[in-house]
Amino acid sequence: MEVVSTNIGDRQKVIYKKRPVETGIFKYPVPSVNLGITDVINDNVVDRKYHGGEKKACYLYTANHYAYWKKKYPHLPWNWGFFGENITVSGLDETQLQIGNQYAIGDAIIEITTPREPCFKLGLRFNTQKIIRDFIAVHFCGSYAKVIKEGEVKKGDVMKLIFKRDSLTIAEKFKEIYRK
């Protein structure tokens, strides 16, 4: 697996249901990111109840899913980081990522923790709340990670498995959450 892009976002105010809402979902590529214990340095995390913190310090999404979404939503101004991910990785596969697996990535070490559960802010990014149903239906969720060792990650870095845990995969956990 290889890092295709590293991304951060600025705090932005947008209107949702006629009310101002702040979000950091509008990520854009930068040369590198520094992973801290509770978040990505210089990335704006607005809602700390659902993002950031020890178990959700960094969000990873696969470049492989972009072709599917670009075909489904061709009118959008696509760039890496579109899903609000801090790190876009080619070859990242939610059916293979087991919760608790640890990876070396750049100078950092991360541990896979939980799938991303989409909220209305993903709908803000896509200009339609329909994306929430679409996102859940295809199980292309990406994964949050805990930072075990802080460090810099940049485009071209390899994400290498260094510890494997026998547990649920991110895809299995995502399906379990949305089974109802």
Side-chain angles (χ1 to χ4, degrees):
M1 295 180 282
E2 184 176 323
V3 175
V4 172
S5 183
T6 53
N7 317 292
I8 61 170
D10 298 324
R11 181 179 287 259
Q12 292 187 21
K13 278 190 180 176
V14 295
I15 302 298
Y16 177 67
K17 295 187 176 180
K18 300 180 184 178
R19 299 179 71 162
V21 174
E22 286 193 309
T23 181
I25 197 167
F26 294 93
K27 306 279 190 252
Y28 53 88
V30 292
S32 67
V33 292
N34 286 295
L35 304 186
I37 295 299
T38 59
D39 54 19
V40 175
I41 308 304
N42 296 322
D43 184 34
N44 284 280
V45 177
V46 175
D47 189 349
R48 293 222 171 250
K49 181 177 179 182
Y50 298 105
H51 307 287
E54 189 177 308
K55 293 190 178 192
K56 293 182 177 181
C58 177
Y59 177 50
L60 300 103
Y61 197 74
T62 185
N64 301 53
H65 295 331
Y66 269 76
Y68 173 85
W69 295 113
K70 284 179 180 180
K71 187 174 180 183
K72 192 162 186 70
Y73 293 93
H75 63 284
L76 296 174
W78 288 98
N79 63 279
W80 299 122
F82 205 84
F83 290 88
E85 78 270 19
N86 301 110
I87 303 175
T88 314
V89 182
S90 68
L92 188 76
D93 182 348
E94 294 94 336
T95 67
Q96 301 302 308
L97 287 177
Q98 290 179 290
I99 296 170
N101 280 4
Q102 293 181 3
Y103 293 85
I105 184 169
D107 298 329
I109 295 175
I110 61 170
E111 180 177 303
I112 301 303
T113 57
T114 189
R116 184 238 193 109
E117 298 175 53
C119 71
F120 77 96
K121 291 182 179 180
L122 185 62
L124 296 174
R125 184 69 164 121
F126 275 73
N127 294 318
T128 178
Q129 294 301 314
K130 180 181 176 290
I131 183 60
I132 306 302
R133 284 189 315 270
D134 293 344
F135 192 86
I136 292 168
V138 295
H139 304 113
F140 293 168
C141 57
S143 179
Y144 280 107
K146 174 181 181 176
V147 176
I148 303 297
K149 177 183 172 243
E150 296 177 307
E152 181 182 27
V153 178
K154 61 187 177 311
K155 181 179 177 178
D157 284 344
V158 173
M159 183 171 156
K160 181 181 176 188
L161 180 66
I162 59 171
F163 177 77
K164 184 170 175 46
R165 186 175 307 278
D166 187 22
S167 64
L168 285 177
T169 67
I170 287 297
E172 289 168 334
K173 181 66 177 174
F174 189 77
K175 289 176 188 174
E176 184 179 279
I177 291 167
Y178 289 102
R179 189 159 303 179
K180 57 185 170 134

